[in-house]
Amino acid sequence: MFDFEKLDVYNHLRTLNKEVLRFLFSNDKIDPYLKDQWKRATIGAAVNLAEGVGRISDADKKHFFTISRGCVFESVALMQTVQDLDQITPSVYDDFYAQYETVSKMLLGLYRSK
């Protein structure tokens, strides 16, 4: 097992990404550019976290944890644009928002621990 797979934050992201990707794949109304950007951002959060865990120096780790958290912020901004276009229900939006907020706090904690 790789070290990143042991992290709660990675497993939260993995679950969230599965839900977000299923949502995006099932919604043809959402602009393809927004879908693509949101997919890239949410996946980017997980892959940058994994890459950061694999780095040796604390400075490198922190750099990738910062990028991962930035991807979470980007995902929320994109989701808000989709919400502004009335292409996501309030309950789905609230669920994703809460999950992204939790992940963001976990990433900040991970950053501060290095």
Side-chain angles (χ1 to χ4, degrees), residues 6 13-14 20 23 30 41 43-44 49-50 53 66 71 86 105-106 114:
K6 300 172 189 171
L13 269 170
R14 199 169 161 204
V20 168
F23 168 78
I30 300 172
I43 291 169
L49 171 60
V53 171
T66 301
C71 290
D86 297 320
K105 289 175 183 178
M106 294 172 85
K114 296 294 168 206

Side-chain angles (χ1 to χ4, degrees), residues 15-26:
T15 300
L16 173 57
N17 283 347
K18 181 171 62 174
E19 293 173 18
V20 168
L21 292 173
R22 284 184 177 156
F23 168 78
L24 291 173
F25 293 149
S26 67

Side-chain angles (χ1 to χ4, degrees), residues 79-96:
M79 182 177 66
Q80 289 172 341
T81 302
V82 171
Q83 180 193 37
D84 292 344
L85 297 171
D86 297 320
Q87 296 175 339
I88 187 171
T89 65
S91 63
V92 171
Y93 175 88
D94 290 344
D95 178 50
F96 288 166

